Amino acid sequence: MPIATEIRPVPGTLIDSAADLVAIPVVRGGAAPTALAAGAGVEPAELDARLPAPAAALVAHYELTGKPGEIAQFPADLGSGLVRVVLLGVGEGAPADLRTAGAALARAAKGHGTAASTVALLEPVADGGAGAVEAFAEGALLASYRFSLASEQKGAAPLETLLLVGADSAEAASALGRGEALARATALARDLINTPSSEKDPAWLAARAGVVAAESGLHAEVWDEDRLVRDGFGAILAVGAGSDRPPRMVRLDYRPQNPAAHIVLVGKGITFDSGGLSLKPNDNMKLMKTDMSGAAVVLGVMSALAGLGSRVAVTGLLPVAENAFSGSALRPGDVIPAYDGRTIEVLNTDAEGRLVMADALGYAVARLEPDALVDVATLTGAAKVALGTGTGALFSGDDALAAALAEAGEASGEPVWRMPLTEEYRDALQSRVADLANVGDGGYGSPGAAEAGLFLREFTGGLPWAHLDIAGPGRSVSDEGVLSKGGTAFSTRLLLRWLSADGPAAGPGGASG
Ligand code: BES
Ligand code: MN
Ligand code: ZN
């Protein structure tokens, strides 16, 4: 469901805004946390006079520290009747602090019509005033996201309007636009991820991709089953064989003028992962409508590239299939032909993601001449065990590409941690009857995330490549901060920041170095 909250930059001051909730930032640092009482154009003394006590006294009373997202609330009459005043911790005013603060404010403001806050004031504190506005908007909108198919909405409604007081400069407006673009791309992906698999089959997802492409000015191409057969996508077909809802492959092209580089993004699009004949226990299976998170992330990213003014040509590939359990399903022991001509012995049908990814990567290498490949997949439970739900696993043989992605993750609050592609583990994927096996024979306790990465690497043709395993951070178990329970679309903002970075040195242009 699209984010219901609207953000509007307005001139004036916090005092004269027409909001029923007014947030005053509290900054950490210095001798004591300070309420940035002034609001553009308001003297601290004037605001102090309207609060129940001077701002500094309230900060002391509530024992506020200025920690990002910290909140104290009380009623006050700022001049036009009683409103709720929120003292909002904004840390040092760094973008990450503001993202957290924006999310906390949006959560505190649920059920309200209009809230006003100010971030323009933080310019003297943070070095990037624009970065502050972008992150504040991003955090507030992400926290307002919700997905519900209930006949009656439970809980307070999202905040309707957030007024950013004093953020009405051209620079602030464009920063606000970037924050909004990042949040709305994420929401688009989250909606796809949260849609139940009864509705979300491969044809449905491909159709949604077509609609998004049309709306965002992208060229789209969809392979149906017949065309997948004709073009030799043997692994996608094999994974989809057990389902009576046949697989698809989607290609989306974003082509700016004079592109700085060409990047291919590949996203795992398993619309439901039962495990296939290597059936999952129910506790693991019940979450597997989210197994197309990689494809949703790539689609969300593609939808926002033009709006963010990315100067990189990007091709998005979504291999989409349902991994079902049936008499026509792929069997353990089957040997299947991949797009690149090699054969794969399938020893576990639950290691299906790497199979569909192999075909898409093979297609990219054979047909697209990219400068770099980046894939996103909810690929292994092992990555989740290793890094938990807060951090994504990053595998890459290319130091510059890995560093650029890690930096974009840091800047986005979507951290990824680089893991080794230990060469010795490659031996485990040796097959006696085919070119390659899809799993090692070590069973539980084997290095599952690295093995999956090494398997994918086989299909990257020696090109600069990075693999993001988001099985851990791809889902959230609670509504907290910028996350809502369910699909998180983790790495959407990371990839968008990477692909729309200003200087080529900081962006993907440096990837092949
Ligand atoms: N989709 C799963 C991975 C997954 C696990 C995603 C938990 C999100 C949360 C993937 O297809 C899978 O089943 N992987 C297997 C691989 C194994 C059979 C080698 C796994 O991780 O157990
Ligand atoms: Mn699986
Ligand atoms: Zn899977």
Side-chain angles (χ1 to χ4, degrees):
M1 281 132 225
I3 295 168
T5 304
E6 184 207 354
I7 303 191
R8 267 208 323 266
V10 290
T13 70
L14 277 179
I15 287 179
D16 56 32
S17 76
D20 52 352
L21 183 149
V22 174
I24 301 171
V26 177
V27 188
R28 191 162 55 186
T34 316
L36 285 177
V42 184
E43 288 304 318
E46 194 186 346
L47 185 64
D48 276 353
R50 297 173 189 232
L51 293 170
L58 290 166
V59 166
H61 173 80
Y62 287 108
E63 298 178 4
L64 300 180
T65 62
K67 182 173 173 252
E70 180 185 60
I71 273 179
Q73 318 185 30
F74 48 85
D77 185 345
L78 298 180
S80 42
L82 214 52
V83 297
R84 170 126 36 130
V85 174
V86 169
L87 295 177
L88 175 66
V90 295
E92 277 81 41
D97 297 342
L98 268 294
R99 189 180 298 117
T100 304
L105 174 59
R107 293 197 182 280
K110 287 211 164 123
H112 283 260
T114 307
S117 187
T118 171
V119 289
L121 273 183
L122 293 169
E123 269 176 84
V125 184
D127 19 332
V133 173
E134 174 182 324
F136 193 73
E138 179 187 350
L141 290 174
L142 286 171
S144 295
Y145 173 82
R146 65 172 178 182
F147 182 90
S148 171
L149 300 173
S151 52
E152 256 173 67
Q153 295 301 330
K154 282 173 266 170
L159 169 68
E160 282 167 30
T161 309
L162 175 59
L163 304 175
L164 286 187
V165 177
D168 53 335
S169 67
E171 196 197 6
S174 86
L176 173 58
R178 282 196 303 277
E180 282 192 318
L182 293 166
R184 300 206 190 276
T186 304
L188 187 160
R190 285 183 184 176
D191 280 347
L192 298 172
I193 298 165
N194 290 329
T195 298
S197 300
S198 48
E199 181 172 3
K200 177 174 64 188
D201 68 8
W204 181 91
L205 189 53
R208 291 290 309 142
V211 170
V212 170
E215 287 167 357
S216 346
L218 304 167
H219 183 260
E221 209 177 327
V222 176
W223 279 255
D224 64 9
E225 213 185 0
D226 293 341
R227 190 161 169 222
L228 287 170
V229 172
R230 241 183 297 129
D231 290 352
F233 288 90
I236 294 176
L237 286 160
V239 170
S243 174
D244 46 21
R245 305 150 97 194
R248 295 283 185 272
M249 168 106 137
V250 181
R251 170 180 166 175
L252 303 167
D253 292 339
Y254 169 71
R255 296 288 181 271
Q257 300 227 310
N258 306 318
H262 178 205
I263 304 294
V264 170
L265 301 177
V266 181
K268 171 175 171 179
I270 299 299
T271 57
F272 187 72
D273 183 10
S274 70
L277 293 185
S278 312
L279 196 63
K280 284 184 184 297
N282 190 66
D283 269 358
N284 297 349
M285 200 194 298
K286 68 187 179 194
L287 310 170
M288 285 300 143
K289 71 173 185 182
T290 62
D291 210 22
M292 36 58 76
S293 292
V297 164
V298 171
L299 186 52
V301 167
M302 298 300 300
S303 77
L305 289 169
L308 286 166
S310 172
R311 296 189 290 112
V312 183
V314 185
T315 306
L317 297 178
L318 320 180
V320 188
E322 178 174 29
N323 190 22
F325 181 96
S326 80
S328 62
L330 182 64
R331 287 157 288 259
D334 282 355
V335 174
I336 62 174
Y339 182 89
D340 79 345
R342 277 184 291 178
T343 54
I344 304 169
E345 183 184 17
V346 178
L347 292 173
N348 189 321
T349 65
D350 199 11
E352 84 297 337
R354 64 196 75 183
L355 299 175
V356 299
M357 300 291 280
D359 270 5
L361 289 167
Y363 172 83
V365 169
R367 311 297 297 268
L368 298 177
E369 296 181 3
D371 296 308
L373 294 160
V374 177
D375 77 72
V376 191
T378 46
L379 206 61
T380 66
K384 184 175 183 174
V385 171
L387 296 171
T389 54
T391 304
L394 163 64
F395 292 88
S396 180
D398 186 305
D399 292 346
L401 178 58
L405 290 171
E407 198 185 308
E410 214 51 59
S412 302
E414 296 184 315
V416 292
W417 192 258
R418 191 167 175 196
M419 309 271 267
L421 288 157
T422 308
E423 289 302 331
E424 287 73 19
Y425 301 160
R426 169 63 183 82
D427 294 344
L429 300 174
Q430 223 66 266
S431 165
R432 273 202 245 155
V433 298
D435 293 318
L436 200 62
N438 78 328
V439 292
D441 51 12
Y444 198 75
S446 64
E451 271 178 15
L454 287 162
F455 180 90
L456 293 182
R457 191 183 65 179
E458 289 296 314
F459 299 89
T460 58
L463 290 169
W465 157 75
H467 159 55
L468 298 173
D469 191 334
I470 60 164
R475 280 186 59 262
S476 173
V477 293
S478 60
D479 294 330
E480 218 187 310
V482 298
L483 302 182
S484 299
K485 188 173 158 88
T488 61
F490 183 91
S491 73
T492 304
R493 292 175 291 126
L494 175 162
L495 289 169
L496 279 171
R497 281 211 169 74
W498 176 57
L499 291 165
S500 61
D502 285 336
S512 46

